[in-house]
């Protein structure tokens, strides 16, 4: 099906794009289009104007090692994140998540920034990022600001990015020595959205005592969330079968999952425990 | 429609330059089929799920129903029509033919594109890797078994071809 009519703009620079977003009423950023065009084809979205930022790719598609963090440009395609060696060695959780998105064609075209700005609660990268507590850098007419991950996802399909702002970069702080990370997606078929997604980033001290841990959950609330009770349970404890299982029992305390055709609320609450256990173990195995 | 509503698209498809006027909302797949009359690329859904519309855009596979025609301005595209050289089928096409990798053929153009993208990056894929590469291409007929077999056979053919090519160029 055809989308509804719209005006199309192809700015050559980021500043020009921001200006267009500011000036044009009911305008929207078009990145990979793998979510937005689908919504427009189904007429679930009908923006009056699209500001296509794919031309500013050189400015926004990169993965760079900085002093304190890894910088990922918003227009980096999922496929690049999946195959980047630096990402693979520092943040295997992101490879887990990127490689599980849709299919090869979607990963070729869809972008990291688009996935975060679309903010589907069942999407893979937002959940994985939440476990790494990055900063989201956005630019608008009033300049640049940096949004902590705890404030970025506001509601289903809604983020802290304002209408005339563009997400430019995600800054992921390096994990300390002796850290491991993992993301596990539970879905009925390959390529489906998650029924439950769990991200874990942990750091251990001597004798596998958990120095720090972040557990994130997807598809079980209006936004990706942190399983703070389970995190608290494990901090300072030795990580073994017993403590991991006990903490996983508490992993669903903050969740408020929906019931839909992919799984009932009760099923999801149960699966959170199962997949939290597995994700913590996988992350631990990668320390 | 006012002419000012239309945008010019110029792109290379299968090595040949084309141009046309489109509404911004025109999907690339419709431009390819209806304006360029290259009807080998199919449409099977509204949501980007079936993969029948898969083509190459600037060296990577994309679902052409999930790209706007205006976004292909200046791009290099390859559709299923670009695989064969005259009457000589591409080894992938031969392999699909010989191994019954299709029944109705609706999914085949997209399957061929996704398979080629796999073999370019990974000349000796395992069954699991083949299945993963065609995740975004649905087939309602074959049950995939013969498609996987075809891609394996094509990999072998293409590896042999490149070996003989290397030998003759030495
Ligand atoms: C068949 C199919 C299967 C899929 N399966 C999965 C899956 O399993 N898991 C998963 O996580 N995702 C899945 N997706 C979604 C995919 O990951 C998309 O790539 C992603 O959600 C959106 O990225 P995009 O670059 O295509 O963004 P677009 O579609 O271009 O944009 C999405 C939204 O974000 C806004 N936006 C985009 N970039 C920016 C920016 N830099 N600054 C501000 N706003 C911006 C747009 O205005 C729009 O509202 C699937 C999609 C399809 C079609
Ligand atoms: S027509 Fe189904 S994915 Fe494009
Ligand atoms: S051969 Fe009929 S859909 Fe695949």
């Amino acid at each position: 099906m055809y989308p509804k009519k719209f005006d199309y703009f192809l700015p050559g620079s980021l500043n020009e794009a921001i200006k267009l977003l500011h000036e044009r009423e009911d305008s929207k950023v078009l990145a990979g289009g793998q979510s937005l065009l689908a919504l427009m084809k189904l007429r679930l979205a009908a923006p009056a104007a699209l500001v296509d930022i794919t031309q500013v790719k050189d400015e926004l598609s990169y993965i760079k090692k900085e002093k304190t963090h890894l910088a990922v440009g918003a227009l980096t395609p999922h496929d690049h994140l999946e195959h980047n060696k630096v990402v693979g060695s520092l943040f295997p959780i992101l490879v887990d998540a990127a490689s599980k998105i849709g299919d090869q064609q979607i990963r070729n075209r869809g972008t990291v920034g688009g996935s975060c700005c679309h903010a589907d609660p069942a999407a893979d990268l937002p959940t994985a990022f939440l476990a790494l507590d990055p900063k989201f850098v956005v630019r608008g007419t009033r300049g640049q600001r940096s949004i902590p991950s705890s404030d970025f996802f506001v509601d289903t399909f809604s983020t802290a990015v304002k209408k005339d702002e563009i997400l430019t970069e995600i800054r992921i702080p390096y994990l300390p020595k002796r850290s491991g990370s993992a993301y596990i997606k539970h879905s009925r078929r390959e390529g489906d959205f998650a029924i439950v997604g769990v991200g874990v980033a942990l750091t251990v001290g001597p004798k596998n005592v958990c120095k720090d841990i972040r557990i994130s959950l997807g598809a079980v609330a209006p936004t990706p969330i942190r399983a703070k009770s389970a995190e608290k349970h494990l901090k300072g404890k030795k990580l073994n079968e017993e403590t991991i299982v006990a903490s996983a029992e508490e992993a669903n305390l903050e969740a408020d999952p929906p019931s839909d055709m992919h799984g009932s609320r009760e099923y999801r609450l149960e699966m959170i425990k199962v997949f939290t256990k597995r994700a913590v173990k996988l992350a631990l195995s990668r320390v | 429609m006012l002419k000012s509503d239309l945008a010019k698209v110029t792109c290379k498809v299968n090595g040949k330059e084309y141009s046309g006027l489109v509404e911004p909302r025109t999907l690339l797949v419709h431009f390819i089929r209806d304006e360029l009359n290259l009807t080998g690329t199919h449409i099977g859904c509204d949501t980007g799920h079936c993969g029948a519309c898969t083509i190459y855009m600037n060296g990577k596979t994309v679902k052409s129903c999930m790209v706007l025609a205006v976004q292909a301005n200046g791009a290099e595209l390859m559709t299923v029509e670009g695989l064969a050289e005259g009457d000589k089928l591409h080894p992938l096409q031969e392999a699909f033919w010989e191994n019954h990798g299709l029944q109705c053929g609706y999914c085949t153009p997209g399957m061929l594109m996704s398979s080629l993208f796999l073999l370019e990056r990974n000349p000796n894929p395992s069954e699991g890797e083949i299945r993963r590469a065609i995740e975004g291409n649905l087939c309602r007929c074959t049950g995939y078994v013969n498609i996987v077999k075809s891609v394996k056979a094509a990999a072998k053919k293409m590896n042999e071809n490149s070996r003989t090519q290397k030998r003759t160029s030495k």
Side-chain angles (χ1 to χ4, degrees):
Chain A
M1 203 160 94
Y2 273 58
K4 223 171 156 171
K5 274 195 183 185
F6 54 82
D7 292 327
Y8 173 80
F9 298 94
L10 185 66
S13 72
L14 194 55
N15 286 338
E16 203 187 319
I18 291 165
K19 200 161 158 257
L20 279 164
L21 285 172
H22 183 69
E23 284 167 3
R24 302 289 304 201
E25 233 168 84
D26 192 24
S27 55
K28 248 186 169 319
V29 172
L30 176 66
Q34 303 304 291
S35 293
L36 184 54
L37 291 180
L39 290 180
M40 290 171 67
K41 278 165 42 165
L42 296 170
R43 304 274 173 123
L44 293 171
L50 286 188
V51 178
D52 184 346
I53 57 171
T54 49
Q55 206 76 335
V56 298
K57 198 145 123 208
D58 296 343
E59 274 181 80
L60 294 185
S61 176
Y62 54 81
I63 296 170
K64 276 194 283 212
K65 268 176 110 168
E66 301 290 350
K67 241 196 177 125
T68 56
H69 60 268
L70 188 74
V72 178
L75 281 180
T76 306
H78 306 322
D79 186 67
H80 287 192
L81 196 65
E82 178 189 344
H83 290 107
N84 185 279
K85 288 218 168 69
V86 176
V87 175
S89 68
L90 295 176
F91 302 110
I93 181 175
L94 295 179
V95 177
D96 293 341
S99 64
K100 287 287 175 190
I101 294 172
D103 51 58
Q104 185 63 58
Q105 297 94 309
I106 303 296
R107 292 191 295 271
N108 282 345
R109 187 106 185 126
T111 68
V112 170
S115 181
C116 292
C117 291
H118 186 58
D120 187 321
D124 299 302
L125 283 177
T127 306
F129 276 127
L130 199 59
L132 297 172
D133 198 19
K135 295 250 187 325
F136 292 85
V137 180
V138 299
R139 238 157 86 181
T141 41
R142 289 166 310 279
Q144 180 167 303
R145 65 192 180 106
S146 159
I147 307 169
S149 70
S150 51
D151 296 342
F152 187 80
F153 301 103
V154 174
D155 204 342
T156 304
F157 301 125
S158 162
T159 67
V161 182
K162 299 211 175 78
K163 185 199 161 279
D164 58 357
E165 283 179 330
I166 293 179
L167 172 67
T168 56
E169 187 175 283
I170 301 167
R171 292 184 183 159
I172 314 160
Y174 295 129
L175 293 168
K177 276 207 182 98
R178 303 215 64 212
S179 294
S181 67
Y183 172 81
I184 301 189
K185 173 180 187 171
H186 174 44
S187 60
R188 293 270 300 258
R189 297 167 305 190
E190 290 297 324
D192 277 1
F193 272 91
I195 298 172
V196 170
V198 183
V200 173
L202 53 78
T203 309
V204 295
K207 293 190 183 153
N208 268 1
V209 169
C210 175
K211 277 170 90 175
D212 198 9
I213 182 165
R214 284 186 296 264
I215 303 173
S216 57
L217 307 174
V220 297
T223 65
I225 56 166
R226 291 266 297 274
K228 297 225 169 164
S229 306
E231 293 176 2
K232 218 168 120 200
H233 188 111
L234 280 178
K235 253 184 232 170
K237 290 215 182 78
K238 215 169 156 171
L239 292 175
N240 55 32
E241 181 72 24
E242 199 186 324
T243 53
I244 292 172
V245 170
S247 76
E249 283 299 312
E250 294 178 11
N252 65 12
L253 291 182
E254 288 86 4
D256 182 16
S259 276
D260 59 27
M261 63 178 183
H262 304 294
S264 66
R265 178 184 168 85
E266 292 71 24
Y267 177 69
R268 285 190 156 102
L269 285 170
E270 211 43 45
M271 286 307 110
I272 293 172
K273 300 183 195 169
V274 174
F275 286 90
T276 299
K277 194 174 71 190
R278 291 186 194 171
V280 172
K281 284 185 182 171
L282 183 58
L284 185 61
S285 75
R286 288 171 173 171
V287 166
Chain B
M1 193 197 309
L2 286 174
K3 207 161 179 279
S4 62
D5 287 346
L6 297 178
K8 190 167 174 205
V9 177
T10 304
C11 55
K12 239 188 198 165
V13 188
N14 305 326
K16 206 172 131 194
E17 189 147 300
Y18 290 90
S19 63
L21 289 173
V22 297
E23 269 191 274
R25 63 170 167 170
T26 306
L27 303 173
L28 181 55
V29 68
H30 290 135
F31 178 69
I32 290 170
R33 289 177 53 85
D34 304 343
E35 296 288 321
L36 310 184
N37 289 320
L38 294 168
T39 52
T41 302
H42 294 164
I43 304 173
C45 73
D46 275 331
T47 48
H49 280 90
C50 76
C53 64
T54 303
I55 62 163
Y56 267 69
M57 181 169 172
N58 297 328
K60 287 180 180 183
T61 48
V62 299
K63 293 177 175 172
S64 60
C65 74
M66 297 290 285
V67 178
L68 298 171
V70 281
Q71 294 186 292
N73 191 31
E76 280 205 28
L77 311 182
M78 185 178 74
T79 65
V80 68
E81 288 91 343
L83 279 179
E85 286 175 37
D87 286 342
K88 173 111 186 66
L89 291 181
H90 188 279
L92 256 169
Q93 292 171 305
E94 278 177 8
F96 269 66
W97 185 354
E98 289 159 5
N99 294 281
H100 306 282
L102 61 145
Q103 287 178 26
C104 79
Y106 204 88
C107 68
T108 314
M111 284 290 177
L112 291 169
M113 292 289 130
S114 290
S115 307
L116 183 62
F117 188 70
L118 167 72
L119 296 181
E120 280 176 354
R121 293 218 251 188
N122 179 357
N124 287 304
S126 65
E127 166 157 1
E129 287 166 338
I130 295 172
R131 287 186 178 270
R132 177 163 194 259
I134 57 170
E135 236 167 52
N137 297 77
L138 302 182
C139 177
R140 287 269 153 123
C141 303
T142 63
Y144 302 99
V145 172
N146 283 351
I147 294 180
V148 173
K149 207 166 129 197
S150 305
V151 178
K152 270 215 171 119
K156 210 169 150 211
K157 273 176 195 271
M158 287 164 73
N159 288 336
E160 273 162 16
N161 286 357
S162 69
R163 241 174 276 138
T164 37
Q165 253 168 24
K166 261 189 213 140
R167 231 177 286 137
T168 46
S169 67
K170 258 182 200 166

